[in-house]
Amino acid sequence: GAGVSQTPSNKVTEKGKYVELRCDPISGHTALYWYRQSLGQGPEFLIYFQGTGAADDSGLPNDRFFAVRPEGSVSTLKIQRTERGDSAVYLCASSLTGGRGTEAFFGQGTRLTVV
Amino acid sequence: AQKITQTQPGMFVQEKEAVTLDCTYDTSDQSYGLFWYKQPSSGEMIFLIYQGSYDEQNATEGRYSLNFQKARKSANLVISASQLGDSAMYFCAMSVGTALIFGKGTTLSVSS
């Protein structure tokens, strides 16, 4: 497809379980971002990839959260030992170069519910 | 600290009227970018308009314009001739480094 694709669209998991959220960016986009959006809030930055490397992971809340982008395209956000407070919509975005004025294109998000 | 403030939780406007959504920002950087995104109930974030900190002209994109007042650190979005399809959440965002920092958003409701 032409846009950013995120799978699954919805994920329900039990507290303590491990989850993986996938993002397929727009082809050719070198920059990829993960955000978390809680109900009634704006998206909160988690991590930024430029190519295969995490250029900025300052937004990851703790060491239960990890993300990879091994081939510079698809990215996976991994959450270990999930907690109820991790419930949110996880948004992925990509942009052509990641420069300051570059428009970021967002996927429709994965709604994670931890029960 | 970098921060975006949107003080209007909700705004109501009638079809065909203009509406202004407020946004103020805080940064000590001289070079930054300001964005507005629309988020309908479907959840995706739709890019509307961008203003660079060194741009002297206010950005415009169709019915959207950004009222950029650098000294006041404000970047208000003006939507002219509102349409029912404009009903959504609107986020102001700022890029300083590598990431976008978002405000809490304003819910716009357009009635006929």
Side-chain angles (χ1 to χ4, degrees), chain A residues 83-105:
Chain A
E83 300 176 356
R84 293 199 177 87
D86 299 335
S87 297
V89 175
Y90 289 80
L91 293 166
C92 176
S94 70
S95 68
L96 193 57
T97 61
R100 181 164 290 114
T102 308
E103 177 186 347
F105 295 84

Side-chain angles (χ1 to χ4, degrees), chain B residues 64-101:
Chain B
Y64 305 108
S65 60
L66 198 151
N67 184 0
F68 180 46
Q69 297 189 39
K70 195 169 182 177
R72 298 178 64 182
K73 293 191 173 178
S74 77
N76 298 341
L77 177 71
V78 180
I79 306 175
S80 63
S82 298
Q83 301 172 355
L84 294 177
D86 293 336
S87 294
M89 192 80 159
Y90 288 79
F91 291 98
C92 180
M94 174 172 64
S95 67
V96 177
T98 53
L100 287 174
I101 300 166

Side-chain angles (χ1 to χ4, degrees), chain A residues 25-40:
Chain A
I26 293 171
S27 177
H29 280 194
T30 62
L32 185 145
Y33 309 81
W34 283 99
Y35 288 84
R36 177 169 70 175
Q37 186 175 20
S38 301
L39 194 62

Side-chain angles (χ1 to χ4, degrees), chain B:
Chain B
Q2 332 284 4
K3 189 178 179 182
I4 291 281
T5 302
Q6 294 181 254
T7 57
Q8 306 156 314
M11 289 287 285
F12 297 86
V13 67
Q14 288 223 306
E15 232 180 336
K16 300 179 187 173
E17 290 184 350
V19 63
T20 298
L21 306 184
D22 294 342
C23 172
T24 57
Y25 60 91
D26 190 15
T27 180
S28 54
D29 280 47
Q30 297 302 309
S31 181
Y32 51 88
L34 296 158
F35 297 76
W36 277 92
Y37 281 84
K38 172 183 178 182
Q39 188 176 43
S41 55
S42 59
E44 74 175 299
M45 299 284 281
I46 302 167
F47 166 79
L48 296 178
I49 196 166
Y50 166 78
Q51 179 88 37
S53 59
Y54 294 118
D55 295 341
E56 295 186 353
Q57 301 281 342
N58 284 345
T60 60
E61 289 283 351
R63 296 186 298 111
Y64 305 108
S65 60
L66 198 151
N67 184 0
F68 180 46
Q69 297 189 39
K70 195 169 182 177
R72 298 178 64 182
K73 293 191 173 178
S74 77
N76 298 341
L77 177 71
V78 180
I79 306 175
S80 63
S82 298
Q83 301 172 355
L84 294 177
D86 293 336
S87 294
M89 192 80 159
Y90 288 79
F91 291 98
C92 180
M94 174 172 64
S95 67
V96 177
T98 53
L100 287 174
I101 300 166
F102 285 84
K104 291 190 174 182
T106 296
T107 301
L108 176 65
S109 300
V110 182
S111 59
S112 57

Side-chain angles (χ1 to χ4, degrees), chain A residues 43-92:
Chain A
E44 174 191 17
F45 170 73
L46 295 176
I47 188 169
Y48 159 63
F49 286 91
Q50 183 56 252
T52 60
D56 183 353
D57 64 357
S58 62
L60 295 177
N62 52 59
D63 62 6
R64 295 187 299 105
F65 288 75
F66 190 70
V68 295
R69 194 186 185 199
E71 296 177 359
S73 54
V74 171
S75 175
T76 305
L77 178 66
K78 309 180 181 197
I79 311 174
Q80 298 179 317
R81 305 183 303 281
T82 51
E83 300 176 356
R84 293 199 177 87
D86 299 335
S87 297
V89 175
Y90 289 80
L91 293 166
C92 176

